[in-house]
Amino acid sequence: MIHHIELAGRALALATDGTVTGPAAGPGISAVAHPEGAPAAPPGVQAVRVEAAHLSLLHDMREGEVYRTGQNSWSPSGWRRLDEAPMRIEDDERRRTADDDAWDDPVRHHSSWVAVLEDEGGAILVGCLEGPTPRLRADQAALEAFTETGRPAQWVILAGPATVVLRDYARALGQALGRREIRPQSVWCSWYSYYEGISQEALDEEIPEAAALGFATLQIDDGWQAAVGDWEAGPRFSRGMAHAAQQIRRAGMRPGLWVAPFIALPGSRLLAEHPEAFIHEADGRLAIAGSNWGADYHALDATHPVAQDYVRRTIERIVKDWGFTYLKLDFINAAAVPGVRHGQADREGAYRIGLRLVREAAGQEAFLLGSGALLMPSLGILDAVRVGPDVAPMWENYATDDLSDAKAYNALHAGINRLWLGEVIGVDPDVVFFRHRRNLLDGTQMQWLRDVAEASRYRCLSDQSGWLDEQERAEIRQWLAREPEELEILGRYRFRLGGRTVDLTEAIEGSASPYPL
């Protein structure tokens, strides 16, 4: 059926196989929709609710722009003109890891869960509140929303300034999917200085330094484990992980640990002993969930009893036996890859089943950060999500223009374009830098990263203590000691923190040399 709707004074045509209702939830929001031929809706209506498996919104915004957000933490997000090529990852292998390859579109703009159109007359948002793997596509004539399974979903259409409709959408998501208390974080993470070379000896050096600087949490990253999939201490942690956690706790910090609970590499004991617990292709081969560590990795089927038991036991051991109560859950998008599963669930529903297993095993007091996380399906279960790709101590890289690659510009671009999610879940824009050693960023670029970290209330650092001089240490102590300030988003790249206004327009839209220097 075709409905004629008027949102904030803009007349639109809505074609859908479902029902259109109102009023939509939210303070001060009303909704009117009327079938073709009925009298026009009164002006000023701001929201419409739709229950449907598919809807198409015909629009007149040919000269406008579109906001897209990809499926997971590393997926490109941000604004493009409707007449431009879509924002996407071109490399097939990288896209399989860092976005949803099943719905990639080289022609039309495409997004996960929500898309926004904007022109001089304002913005129109179409977003899913609950549904089985929802996706959207847009061009210069229409914005299409649908579910992967063909089963109905709950959609909301909002009109107004882009900052307002994204804020209201986030709040409606919190009502639909739940939300946890958002707690400011200060974390020292081993990844961006030690990478996979982290060891007990390195930890012995960093623990007292991190405590003296004022960090609340010290998180051990990738490199501690025997193998990806076999979550026991590797040879560089011969005294075991319970000992490491105890050291961190005695220094007055919360022990944190990196783990990728839904994946395994070829050669892992888990994969060799329980191949039936993994997602498979229709022909019986193991599904490939992504590529890292020089190999393709595979994903546990969160609906399979063997996989569920394994995840539960792994998380209970890490939290309850070893004592790590801050978990960085990485590569967790793997639980939603296409494939054959044991139980009946859409892909993102299976992901949510997996997250609930982790939460139940970890307990309600544990802090769970998702990296590679599916953003909206994490709501109500995870405490925070990474909102961009890995940062790096260089602004640009001449060898790549992929927005999912590791560089400071990409982390900042994603962090500011997903800052609106802070209404409903903790947002981690990744680490900042204070060191000048082994760093190609200038002072302005370093400050931009810190501004977004402060706006996100997620202060994370990875500078190795031996790379810091006394002035840098003093700056870190001062930065960590600041009380979090109230955030007000003023525009795409502008926000107010307390009494300070930050404008990152030049950082995002300004030209920069493709060479690090």
Side-chain angles (χ1 to χ4, degrees), residues 159-172:
T163 55
V164 174
V165 295
L166 283 167
R167 179 201 65 196
D168 288 353
Y169 174 60
R171 292 174 178 176

Side-chain angles (χ1 to χ4, degrees), residues 217-235:
T217 298
L218 187 147
Q219 181 239 308
I220 303 168
D221 215 281
D222 185 8
W224 64 269
Q225 71 279 3
V228 173
D230 298 334
W231 303 107
E232 299 289 351

